[in-house]
Amino acid sequence: MARGMLALLAGFARLAKGEKIDESKESLMPVFQSEGFALAYQVHGEGRPIVAVHGFASNGNVNWVATGWVDALTKAGYQVIALDNRGHGASEKIYDPSVYGAPDMARDVANLIDHLGFEKAALMGYSMGARISAFVCIQNPEKVACAIFGGLGGNMVRPMLDSDEIIAGLNAPTLAEVTHKTGRQFRIFAEHTKSDLKALSACMAGSRTRMAEEQVRQIGVPVLVAVGSEDEVGGDPGALASLMPHGEALTIERRDHMRATGDPQFKRGALEFLGRVYPA
């Protein structure tokens, strides 16, 4: 098992020692209808809203609760709404790749903001969630106060690496048959989070939506781009931040794509950014 994945799993307080996600908690999550699909979400705390959009093969609980983000943000005076994306967590599982485009899932985020009656919200996305959040900024800028793109920098505007290998890894009959490093990492993570492998395979096939540099330049809200210094998946945070009129870059030192998610450097940088552009 790759060291990066082991470190990620070890860092999740609620998944320590191989514990499984509390499915009873997921079954009690509120659900809303978006674009014909039933999507689940969690609401934590009170204050100015932050909609948190998780990464591929994760869910709101794993990406934001278990890593300490919800605790940090609610203590700072924010309300955190953690969405389970299509095909993930407690949300509806769909097996058609054509419904998993990042612009499509971005509409889910905008619909959730409307569903909860918010005029605007801050967005915080990690990896795939950062790409989704970027499309919300393009498609519904009137709903976005500011954004944090975690785990995705310069590679936002480049073709996704190893996606075919990830799909092959998810579709393999057993983990033992997955030999590609990245494909194996994602298969291990997906199995640990008890994800629907077929739904994830469809999501990966459909969500590889590239955002052009010209589109990124249209994002006018303040954006913090935070990526680990060892993150080959996300790429250089400065390369993406420099394309936006109000973009800022944060390098999470000594962290790769998997281990940067809940890092204290990331939390400190995000809270400092939010305190300036979106005070609680």
Side-chain angles (χ1 to χ4, degrees), residues 8-278:
L8 172 66
L9 298 179
F12 290 154
R14 296 191 181 184
L15 298 181
K17 299 180 181 179
E19 295 174 7
K20 298 299 182 181
I21 295 171
D22 185 350
E23 293 181 335
S24 63
K25 180 179 290 187
E26 288 195 348
S27 67
L28 299 175
M29 290 169 62
V31 173
F32 80 112
Q33 292 291 321
S34 176
E35 310 294 312
F37 303 116
L39 304 184
Y41 62 95
Q42 307 174 40
V43 178
H44 303 271
E46 297 179 353
R48 301 189 79 179
I50 298 175
V51 178
V53 190
H54 65 76
F56 179 76
S58 190
N59 56 57
N61 194 47
V62 168
N63 208 142
W64 307 116
V65 178
T67 54
W69 271 108
V70 165
D71 184 58
L73 292 170
T74 55
K75 283 182 177 177
Y78 296 98
Q79 182 180 68
V80 182
I81 302 93
L83 172 67
D84 279 2
N85 290 313
R86 301 179 184 191
H88 294 73
S91 288
E92 184 174 346
K93 309 302 185 293
I94 312 115
Y95 306 102
D96 177 3
S98 69
V99 305
Y100 283 108
D104 300 301
M105 290 195 281
R107 287 198 295 274
D108 295 334
V109 176
N111 290 340
L112 179 57
I113 292 172
D114 287 342
H115 172 74
L116 294 173
F118 300 133
E119 182 178 347
K120 287 189 174 186
L123 302 181
M124 183 169 183
Y126 195 83
S127 194
M128 180 183 76
R131 188 181 302 275
I132 293 169
S133 297
F135 274 101
V136 181
C137 293
I138 293 295
Q139 295 172 177
N140 295 101
E142 76 283 356
K143 300 183 189 300
V144 183
C146 65
I148 298 172
F149 300 161
L152 191 57
N155 289 346
M156 174 94 73
V157 297
R158 300 187 183 96
M160 184 174 177
L161 300 175
D162 297 335
S163 53
D164 289 337
E165 288 76 10
I166 294 171
I167 292 170
L170 293 168
N171 288 330
T174 66
L175 173 63
E177 296 173 63
V178 184
T179 57
H180 186 273
K181 178 182 176 181
T182 305
R184 186 173 177 82
Q185 284 182 336
F186 276 93
R187 175 63 179 258
I188 290 168
F189 187 45
E191 288 190 355
H192 194 88
T193 57
K194 301 182 69 174
S195 296
D196 185 316
L197 300 182
K198 291 183 179 180
L200 291 187
S201 176
C203 179
M204 178 57 68
S207 65
R208 296 176 283 184
T209 313
R210 176 179 170 270
M211 178 170 278
E213 287 190 9
E214 293 74 19
Q215 291 176 297
V216 176
R217 295 182 194 278
Q218 297 173 26
I219 299 176
V221 298
V223 177
L224 176 67
V225 183
V227 183
S229 61
E230 314 303 317
D231 187 347
E232 298 179 357
V233 175
D236 177 20
L240 183 65
S242 65
L243 296 176
M244 295 176 282
H246 303 291
E248 302 179 27
L250 170 65
T251 299
I252 307 166
E253 298 294 343
R254 301 177 302 282
R255 293 291 180 261
D256 59 18
H257 192 70
M258 297 298 181
R259 294 182 297 134
T261 314
D263 189 89
Q265 299 171 76
F266 188 7
K267 292 189 178 77
R268 287 193 298 269
L271 288 171
E272 191 277 332
F273 170 77
L274 290 168
R276 284 188 286 109
V277 306
Y278 191 65

